[in-house]
Amino acid sequence: MANEKQVLGVLCSGRGTDLQSIIDAIARGEVHATIGVVLADKPEAYALERARKAGIPAVCVNRKEYEGREQFEKALIEELAQAGVTLVVLAGFMRILTPYFVRAYAGRIMNIHPALLPSFPGAHAHRDVLAYGVKVSGCTIHFVDEGTDSGPIIAQAAVPVLDGDTEETLGARVLKEEHRLYPQVIEWYCEGRLQVEGRKVCVLPEKS
């Protein structure tokens, strides 16, 4: 797959700032991939508008319109398959994927989490970081497995937690690193440089 252009399917739930960083990196020639489709689980997700402005197909697969999680995920998989997606990129997608979905794209789903995993998994990472009193936080990019934020870690970036930080100020500092790191990791995948051995992900040297 390394010699073929990867087709990304980006799943979002909100503003889509990580999506925008990927769109911009592709436009600058820093990520050699195309975005086949952007999917959101909420019609009000601004990520859909970002995609449309960039000329990328944008589809709302509204969770509320499906009786169960499997029916919802089946609709997601159908949209991804129709777009020819080879790598699923979760960018602020606020739903836990079931084994049904994960098995459909095993080894081909990435997620970004706003904390240094395995510490502070789940939906309220910044709040949990501040409540615990740690001095360093950051973001983690990992492959998705059938657990919650538990897949093999690809890359991490650290930021200091400052006295007086709020969820918003810490979140802004972490987000800056997310926007830098996520496109880079996607490009590593596109170059065929990510090698998974059990829980460890090795980044192979760049080919000359």
Side-chain angles (χ1 to χ4, degrees):
M1 294 298 291
N3 296 323
E4 300 175 17
K5 200 162 193 179
Q6 299 290 337
V7 180
L8 312 181
V10 186
L11 275 58
C12 306
S13 293
R15 296 177 299 163
T17 64
D18 281 319
L19 165 66
Q20 190 66 56
S21 73
I22 298 165
I23 291 172
D24 293 344
I26 291 172
R28 292 192 300 266
E30 296 170 5
V31 174
H32 297 87
T34 60
I35 300 177
V37 68
V38 171
L39 303 178
D41 61 334
K42 302 172 183 176
E44 67 272 18
Y46 188 67
L48 294 170
E49 183 62 23
R50 290 182 189 273
R52 293 182 186 117
K53 285 180 178 179
I56 298 166
V59 180
C60 175
V61 181
N62 192 339
R63 173 66 181 86
K64 294 179 180 178
E65 295 176 1
Y66 296 88
E67 286 185 14
R69 291 169 73 184
E70 187 169 315
Q71 294 303 314
F72 167 66
E73 290 184 350
K74 188 176 288 186
L76 292 176
I77 290 169
E78 287 173 359
E79 293 289 348
L80 295 169
Q82 189 172 335
V85 167
T86 58
L87 176 66
V88 179
V89 176
L90 307 183
F93 188 65
M94 301 305 292
R95 294 192 182 277
I96 296 171
L97 295 169
T98 70
Y100 170 78
F101 186 100
V102 174
R103 288 167 191 164
Y105 282 91
R108 298 185 292 146
I109 311 172
M110 279 183 192
N111 183 46
I112 190 159
H113 181 74
L116 296 176
L117 294 173
S119 297
F120 310 110
H124 304 287
H126 299 316
R127 183 188 70 188
D128 296 342
V129 162
L130 293 173
Y132 202 89
V134 299
K135 301 302 182 184
V136 178
S137 189
C139 61
T140 302
I141 299 168
H142 63 95
F143 284 115
V144 174
D145 63 9
E146 295 182 15
T148 301
D149 296 328
S150 60
I153 291 171
I154 305 167
Q156 294 179 303
V159 303
V161 180
L162 305 178
D163 293 341
D165 257 339
T166 63
E167 289 183 49
E168 289 72 26
T169 59
L170 175 59
R173 201 175 306 118
V174 171
L175 202 58
K176 189 174 181 180
E177 290 301 306
E178 291 185 26
H179 295 165
R180 176 188 65 80
L181 193 60
Y182 216 177
Q184 182 181 69
V185 169
I186 292 169
E187 177 62 8
W188 289 341
Y189 184 93
C190 293
E191 293 171 348
R193 292 173 59 195
L194 298 181
Q195 182 174 301
V196 183
E197 298 175 359
R199 283 214 52 84
K200 292 185 178 180
V201 181
C202 298
V203 182
L204 300 176
E206 191 170 1
K207 296 173 184 175
S208 57

